[in-house]
Amino acid sequence: MLNKITVVGAGNVGATAAQRLAEQELARAVVLVDVIEGVPQGKALDQWESAPIEGFDTRVVGANDYGPAAGSELVVVTAGIARKPGMSRDDLVRTNADIVKQVSQEIKRHCPNAIVVLVSNPLDVMCWVTKQVTGFPRERVFGMAGVLDTARYRAFLAEALDVSVEDVQAMVLGGHGDTMVPLISYTTVSGVPVTQLLDRSTLDKIVERTRNGGAEIVAFLKTGSAYYAPSAAVVQMVAAIARDKKRVLPCAAWLEGEYGLSGIYCGVPCKLGRKGLEQILEVKLAAEEQAALKKSADAVKETMAAVKL
Ligand code: APR
């Protein structure tokens, strides 16, 4: 258990993540920070009042400043504006870059030793903004996208196969967007390659649906984007860190030559433990997967170019 986790952004993803963190008692205190007056305080109090029913002792507090967040060992950043229908993740880049820049300055000042897990979109670029502004090493700045994309992919596969979601193992790499790279060659059902269980056209349809997973939810919700699965995904990463589990999960990581890529954030398999991103695993990719990863990385670079720090 950590002492203090701060969640910046008390919107749909942030508030739901705070609740999940508290319910799993991943820290003694969870601090919810937002610029809107009263909202983090109200949501935090409401969550804390559920503690006697849910049986957790994690204290949830809300604030509009970073005083209560001081000394947090881990900060989850969900601040930003959410994607609206018809808006690509990349449309969000300038607005969210300014928000994440401001948030990162506060993190650097108040939580200089924190591990920072980004959720704000466009994810790979927001990770870079935080790394640049804080100057923290890559072990302490990374992002949540792959766990969410993989969860969507696993859910669709489990549905198609009529098997438990728990028995579908998979990994989605690349940038968080239309160019993400689901690794069919590493997708198994309890160790059995999925290619033995589903034909190629069914698999291709599932891959396509995974790529559009975020947009599919936005089209339903109309006024916001997904938050139940995104909050579950970031909390799984936090749990791996808080409990020093050394879990291997796809995360947006700063690459320095791995997979032939450098100077960008991109989704790759990472080992998460108490020190944060403890290792990047380099797995062999099929030629088409390596090419897709390169294309995805190029898309991230293009979006980075739109941001002035
Ligand atoms: N500091 C703190 N909080 C901020 C700031 C800031 N500078 N700017 C905006 N916020 C807050 C907003 O007030 C809002 O409460 O961030 C919150 C965002 O919440 P929602 O609009 O509900 O968005 P949400 O669905 O939670 O998504 C947040 O995560 O998945 C990504 O694409 C998504 O970038 C978006 C982020």
Side-chain angles (χ1 to χ4, degrees):
M1 190 195 276
L2 300 179
N3 269 320
K4 202 190 284 181
I5 299 174
T6 289
V7 179
V8 184
N12 283 336
V13 178
T16 315
Q19 181 187 13
R20 294 185 193 279
L21 292 169
E23 287 181 359
Q24 292 185 32
E25 291 188 322
L26 291 174
R28 279 175 231 290
V30 170
V31 182
L32 201 47
V33 177
D34 201 289
V35 284
I36 305 176
E37 255 175 61
V39 165
Q41 292 88 342
K43 289 190 180 181
L45 180 60
D46 192 12
Q47 290 185 10
W48 169 236
E49 288 168 358
S50 76
I53 304 164
E54 293 296 332
F56 62 82
D57 283 303
T58 295
R59 188 77 173 85
V60 191
V61 293
N64 296 121
D65 66 297
Y66 288 76
S72 295
E73 294 119 303
L74 199 148
V75 181
V76 175
V77 179
T78 75
I81 60 159
R83 204 152 51 125
K84 311 263 163 28
M87 202 183 200
S88 84
R89 281 193 182 83
D90 295 352
D91 292 336
L92 290 175
V93 69
R94 283 190 193 84
T95 311
N96 280 358
D98 284 343
I99 292 171
V100 169
K101 191 173 162 186
Q102 183 258 328
V103 169
S104 302
Q105 285 161 347
E106 299 286 357
I107 293 172
K108 186 179 181 181
R109 189 170 315 137
H110 297 276
C111 316
N113 300 313
I115 293 166
V116 187
V117 184
L118 278 295
V119 181
S120 309
N121 275 318
L123 192 262
D124 308 274
V125 180
M126 295 306 115
C127 290
W128 170 68
V129 170
T130 295
K131 188 172 183 301
Q132 291 295 106
V133 172
T134 59
F136 291 177
R138 75 171 178 179
E139 288 74 15
R140 294 201 283 123
V141 183
F142 43 93
M144 185 292 294
V147 175
L148 169 63
D149 296 330
T150 303
R152 287 179 174 149
Y153 180 53
R154 290 171 63 201
F156 301 151
L157 286 168
E159 193 177 37
L161 290 158
D162 192 24
V163 299
S164 165
V165 288
E166 289 186 75
D167 292 330
V168 182
Q169 297 86 26
M171 188 90 81
V172 177
L173 306 187
H176 186 45
D178 313 334
T179 57
M180 68 179 74
V181 187
L183 298 182
I184 293 177
S185 58
Y186 287 105
T187 304
T188 67
V189 178
S190 290
V192 179
V194 76
T195 45
Q196 292 182 21
L197 304 170
L198 287 174
D199 59 58
R200 188 70 203 203
S201 92
T202 308
L203 277 171
D204 285 346
K205 276 190 204 121
I206 289 174
V207 164
E208 203 43 37
R209 189 172 175 200
T210 304
R211 287 213 170 96
N212 294 323
E216 186 179 359
I217 305 278
V218 171
F220 280 122
L221 295 180
K222 299 197 171 57
T223 54
S225 54
Y227 57 101
Y228 291 112
S231 58
V234 72
V235 170
Q236 183 175 58
M237 290 171 64
V238 174
I241 297 163
R243 300 193 176 121
D244 197 21
K245 291 278 280 186
K246 319 282 187 199
R247 289 212 59 186
V248 176
L249 299 169
C251 307
W254 181 252
L255 299 181
E256 293 165 348
E258 295 85 357
Y259 293 93
L261 303 168
S262 51
I264 51 152
Y265 271 90
C266 192
V268 292
C270 298
K271 192 198 285 176
L272 297 187
R274 185 59 195 88
K275 294 193 184 76
L277 194 166
E278 298 188 353
Q279 193 189 342
I280 292 175
L281 281 78
E282 276 194 90
V283 299
K284 262 198 202 139
L285 297 182
E288 60 175 41
E289 288 168 344
Q290 181 65 46
L293 195 64
K294 168 85 173 52
K295 196 172 151 218
S296 190
D298 288 344
V300 174
K301 265 200 179 135
E302 242 172 65
T303 317
M304 275 166 80
V307 177
K308 296 236 159 19
L309 283 180

